[in-house]
Amino acid sequence: MAWLVLVLSGLLETAWATALSASKGFTRLWPTVIFGATLVGSMAGLAYALRSIPVGTGYAVWVAIGAVGTALVGMFVLGEGFSVTRALCLLLIVAGVVGLKLAH
């Protein structure tokens, strides 16, 4: 259960990072509200997951899901551009997370 919550919390990290960008420095109401709600949910889920997952592994997995997810949203939704180099770098992050999970 902790791993499922951790993954969902990582996805919420993608949501709050995207909402933070859309808030334009907290000048737009609804993106700011979404940012706050998803931030709290993401942190609460991470806190729950870290009850049974070691902090080093859990935090690295959470950050990686958020970072890769946010980069993918940027590339495919926000038009930040896709390149093979960017894709390979994201795959390296995913490989590192899988390695951490397998070593757990």
Side-chain angles (χ1 to χ4, degrees):
M1 181 66 163
W3 283 101
L4 175 63
V5 171
L6 184 64
V7 169
L8 292 174
S9 296
L11 295 173
L12 284 174
E13 184 184 3
T14 296
W16 70 250
T18 304
L20 179 61
S21 176
S23 78
K24 306 291 185 204
F26 302 122
T27 61
R28 297 178 63 217
L29 176 62
W30 290 113
T32 300
V33 170
I34 292 168
F35 162 77
T38 54
L39 177 68
V40 169
S42 181
M43 292 295 171
L46 176 63
Y48 173 83
L50 292 182
R51 291 179 185 175
S52 58
I53 298 171
V55 68
T57 301
Y59 184 73
V61 169
W62 179 77
V63 167
I65 292 169
V68 171
T70 304
L72 291 173
V73 167
M75 285 189 284
F76 294 111
V77 177
L78 303 177
E80 293 178 2
F82 174 84
S83 72
V84 172
T85 302
R86 290 181 83 181
L88 289 174
C89 290
L90 293 175
L91 284 174
L92 287 171
I93 293 171
V94 171
V97 168
V98 169
L100 284 172
K101 169 64 173 116
L102 293 175
H104 170 68

